[in-house]
Amino acid sequence: MLVYNKAKNYSARSVSSMKLASGFSNTSFIGFPLISAFYGEQYLSIAIICDQTMFFMLSIMGIVAALRGGSKSGNVSPKFVLKRLFTFPPFLGCISALILSQFINFDLAEPLFDKLAATVGPLALFSVGLQLKFNGWRKLIPQISTSLLYKLILSPILILICALVFGIKGDVAKISTFEAAMPTVLTASVFAEQFRLNTKLVNLIIGISILVGFITTGIWFQIIEFLF
C-alpha cells in the first residue's frame, strides 16, 4: 500500500486508510462461519489462533498506521503508541480474559457471553452500513480495486507460498491460507472514524470486500483442496 500510494502521490491519510483496510483480515466475524461451513467446526481451534494473532497485530500495527495518518507530522512516539494501546478497550478486554480465565471459572457466565457476542456481528454490519455512502465511489475505484486485489488474492497467495516453501501441510496450512483470504476486518472502520482517516474509502472497501469475499473464498477453497 505504501508503494502504491507513493506512485499515485496520495496523502498520508489515504496511505493509512488503505493500510488499515488492506492489511488485516476478518478472521472471526466472517472467518469462523466460513471455516465451519467449508471445513467443519473441528477446525475452529486453528482459526482462533489466526484470529488472536490478527487481533494483536491490529491492536499494535493498526494503531501505529492510524496514528501516522492522523498525525500532521506523520511521526508517532513509542510512548504515545503504548498509551493508546493500553487504553484500547478490545485490547484490555482480551488481556483481561486471558489472565482471569486462569484463576476464575466463567462457565456459569458463558450463556450471557454467548448472547452478548451474538449481537456484535449485526451491530457491526449495521454501523458499517449506515456509513456506506456510494456517491462519488467511481473516483475511488483504483484504491478500492487495489485493496481488494491484495486482501482477497495476493495475501492468501503469500501465505500459500510460505506454507509450500517451509513444507507445512495438512490442516494448519489449509486453514491459515483460507483465513488469509477473508475480507477486510470491521474494526478498520472504527479506527478510521476515531483517528479521522478516510472513513468513506475504508467503509466502501469493507462492504465490497465482504460481498466479493463470499465468492473468492469459495474459489480459494477449491484451490486449497487441490494443492493440499
Side-chain angles (χ1 to χ4, degrees):
M1 294 304 111
L2 185 60
V3 172
Y4 171 77
N5 282 278
K6 277 188 175 181
K8 296 292 185 179
N9 199 29
Y10 290 136
S11 64
R13 184 168 168 264
S14 293
V15 174
S16 293
S17 298
M18 291 194 68
K19 283 181 179 179
L20 280 174
S22 311
F24 305 98
S25 298
N26 205 323
T27 49
S28 57
F29 173 58
I30 302 295
F32 288 178
L34 289 180
I35 291 291
S36 299
F38 282 101
Y39 292 99
E41 292 187 0
Q42 67 271 25
Y43 293 99
L44 284 178
S45 58
I46 302 174
I48 289 172
I49 299 299
C50 294
D51 179 63
Q52 290 303 305
T53 304
M54 182 61 65
F55 174 77
F56 279 110
M57 288 178 63
L58 178 64
S59 298
I60 300 172
M61 298 170 66
I63 287 179
V64 171
L67 285 171
R68 284 182 175 176
S71 171
K72 293 182 179 180
S73 64
N75 297 319
V76 181
S77 67
K79 181 179 179 180
F80 188 61
V81 172
L82 289 174
K83 179 181 178 182
R84 294 308 298 257
L85 175 62
F86 287 101
T87 55
F88 184 47
F91 180 79
L92 295 177
C94 180
I95 296 299
S96 299
L98 290 173
I99 296 174
L100 292 176
S101 63
Q102 304 301 314
F103 305 99
I104 303 175
N105 188 345
F106 287 101
D107 289 345
L108 293 175
E110 280 190 6
L112 173 63
F113 292 152
D114 288 341
K115 291 185 180 300
L116 288 175
T119 65
V120 173
L123 285 175
L125 281 181
F126 184 73
S127 62
V128 171
L130 285 177
Q131 297 180 67
L132 275 176
K133 306 295 182 183
F134 288 99
N135 54 312
W137 64 272
R138 289 181 177 85
K139 295 180 180 179
L140 298 174
I141 286 179
Q143 292 159 289
I144 295 172
S145 58
T146 301
S147 179
L148 295 185
L149 173 65
Y150 175 78
K151 182 81 265 337
L152 301 178
I153 299 176
L154 297 182
S155 178
I157 285 178
L158 292 174
I159 300 300
L160 180 60
I161 290 174
C162 288
L164 294 175
V165 168
F166 291 103
I168 302 172
K169 299 180 180 179
D171 298 337
V172 172
K174 287 183 179 181
I175 303 304
S176 298
T177 303
F178 193 72
E179 284 281 65
M182 292 299 122
T184 298
V185 66
L186 295 172
T187 313
S189 174
V190 178
F191 276 28
E193 182 72 29
Q194 184 177 1
F195 295 98
R196 298 179 181 179
L197 301 179
N198 192 337
T199 54
K200 180 178 180 179
L201 173 62
V202 173
N203 287 324
L204 280 171
I205 292 174
I206 291 173
I208 295 173
S209 71
I210 290 175
L211 294 176
V212 177
F214 283 116
I215 299 172
T216 55
T217 50
I219 297 172
W220 272 109
F221 173 75
Q222 299 297 330
I223 296 173
I224 293 168
E225 288 299 300
F226 175 76
L227 293 176
F228 296 105

